[in-house]
Amino acid sequence: MADPIFNMLEIGQGDSLGYLRQNDRNLIMARLIAKEMESDNLSAPPSSTFRGRGYIVASSGTGLWAGAEANDIAICLSDTPTTSGGWIFITPSRGMTVWVLVGTNPGHRVFDGTDWSSAV
């Protein structure tokens, strides 16, 4: 079963790898709480990244981001993501805020339910 907010799988009874999924959950929550995204204008992952970095997907994802939708938050789960399993995609909720470090327009963003816009 997945949680209703971020669609992360819960640890089930007898789940021998549950601790790994919990480590990923902790990383995802830390990234979302920190609210820092590396960039906001990518449709595919950058050539160099590492575990824990977050990005706002610019348009429908390609390559390792295939399946991601425009405006999703992509969080890297591996220091060397070579498969789509090295990423998780979070659909933002209306009112979610982040700080974009670099990209087309660095700064504070708010998700209005349709798009990320610069906060005033």
Side-chain angles (χ1 to χ4, degrees), residues 7-79:
N7 200 29
M8 291 187 281
L9 295 177
E10 297 176 349
I11 298 173
Q13 186 174 0
D15 185 349
S16 62
L17 297 177
Y19 68 95
L20 293 174
R21 283 188 278 285
Q22 186 58 45
N23 289 343
D24 286 345
R25 282 185 201 89
N26 293 344
L27 174 77
I28 294 161
M29 294 310 298
R31 172 56 49 214
L32 294 176
I33 290 168
K35 299 182 180 182
E36 286 184 353
M37 300 298 131
E38 296 298 318
S39 182
D40 66 341
N41 195 26
L42 301 173
S43 295
S47 58
S48 175
T49 191
F50 58 85
R51 182 173 166 80
R53 282 200 169 169
Y55 303 87
I56 296 175
V57 180
S59 60
S60 295
T62 61
L64 296 179
W65 285 2
E69 300 293 328
N71 297 310
D72 279 358
I73 295 174
I75 300 175
C76 183
L77 298 178
S78 168
D79 283 337

Side-chain angles (χ1 to χ4, degrees), residues 58-116:
S59 60
S60 295
T62 61
L64 296 179
W65 285 2
E69 300 293 328
N71 297 310
D72 279 358
I73 295 174
I75 300 175
C76 183
L77 298 178
S78 168
D79 283 337
T80 54
T82 57
T83 67
S84 58
W87 295 90
I88 189 165
F89 305 103
I90 305 294
T91 301
S93 301
R94 183 182 175 99
M96 183 179 266
T97 63
V98 297
W99 185 266
V100 176
L101 300 175
V102 297
T104 56
N105 188 17
H108 188 232
R109 300 279 189 291
V110 177
F111 188 69
D112 64 11
T114 304
D115 201 1
W116 292 95

